[in-house]
Amino acid sequence: IAGPCVIESYEQLVNIGLFLKKLGVSILRGSAYKPRTSPYSFQGFGLEALKWHKEAQIIHKLPIETEVLDPRDVEIVCQYVDILRIGARNMQNFSLLKEVSLSKKPIILKRGFSSTLLEWLLSAEYILKYGNSQIILCERGIRTFETTHRFTLDFVGTTIIKNFTHLPVIMDPSHAAGNRNLVPN
């Protein structure tokens, strides 16, 4: 799974999708809606970006996923993407978890950056309780006392959680660095 954090244009999705397909990537990610700490930061193009996602898919032919932020948006987002993503900031938005479960779409559930393994599993249980077992747990890094990088990627937690669930577990290392200069080319 790879792609832009936030969708910036139709051309971006076509170019990245074709490039990633050549590399053997299976799923194109890209957020139409982007939660940011600052209300003044770019929040994504929303519905327009969802339309770009779907149109670009005709060319690159990869399954696509995006983050959904609000229970009121689940129905419309489902019309455009194959997989829904619940980001770290919404891992315990229980109304959203229930709504995405009812969609019957596969769901990537990112671990909250201050959440325990049990809290993460219980968030998955909300989705399971409402009838959707197509959940992929995604470790993306947790907040620790370390200040040289944004988050600490919890490799040990990922290993431990596999002992407590049948659900697949993936890792997204992009958030841990928080600085593109720390990511090797």
Side-chain angles (χ1 to χ4, degrees):
I1 301 172
C5 182
V6 65
I7 297 168
E8 297 174 9
S9 72
Y10 167 77
E11 293 77 16
Q12 173 201 43
L13 290 171
V14 169
N15 293 334
I16 290 175
L18 291 172
F19 175 75
L20 293 174
K21 189 168 187 168
K22 286 181 189 174
L23 295 177
V25 170
S26 302
I27 299 167
L28 177 65
R29 69 153 300 185
S31 294
Y33 304 93
K34 189 65 185 161
R36 304 278 188 179
T37 302
S38 171
Y40 307 107
S41 296
F42 176 63
Q43 305 280 320
F45 285 108
L47 181 57
E48 179 129 9
L50 289 172
K51 291 176 182 177
W52 295 336
H53 227 340
K54 195 67 174 172
E55 291 170 18
Q57 186 180 39
I58 294 167
I59 296 170
H60 60 63
K61 299 186 180 2
L62 291 169
I64 52 177
E65 68 95 53
T66 198
E67 184 170 356
V68 61
L69 305 176
D70 190 308
R72 297 169 294 187
D73 294 333
V74 172
E75 187 176 336
I76 191 80
V77 171
C78 284
Q79 294 175 27
Y80 293 94
V81 301
D82 303 298
I83 302 168
L84 303 175
R85 178 176 8 103
I86 302 297
R89 296 170 191 265
N90 275 309
M91 186 200 86
Q92 291 184 310
N93 180 337
F94 303 119
S95 297
L96 180 59
L97 297 178
K98 178 181 177 183
E99 199 63 33
V100 296
S101 178
L102 297 174
S103 77
K104 304 301 182 202
K105 293 268 187 180
I107 299 162
I108 295 173
L109 179 63
K110 288 199 169 187
R111 180 180 179 189
F113 47 80
S114 295
S115 299
T116 66
L117 296 176
L118 179 59
E119 289 167 335
W120 190 20
L121 286 175
L122 289 173
S123 290
E125 285 294 323
Y126 267 88
I127 299 168
L128 289 166
K129 179 183 176 189
Y130 291 100
N132 191 334
S133 61
Q134 300 179 90
I135 304 166
I136 301 164
L137 298 174
C138 181
E139 168 62 42
R140 44 84 70 209
I142 56 173
R143 186 165 285 161
T144 66
F145 58 86
E146 185 54 61
T147 59
T148 60
H149 51 277
R150 190 170 175 208
F151 296 104
T152 299
L153 201 55
D154 189 4
F155 286 98
V156 175
T158 302
T159 303
I160 291 169
I161 206 161
K162 287 183 173 192
N163 293 316
F164 294 103
T165 185
H166 66 285
L167 298 172
V169 181
I170 61 175
M171 296 185 94
D172 177 355
S174 65
H175 292 283
N179 179 341
R180 77 175 55 205
N181 296 327
L182 297 175
V183 179
N185 292 326

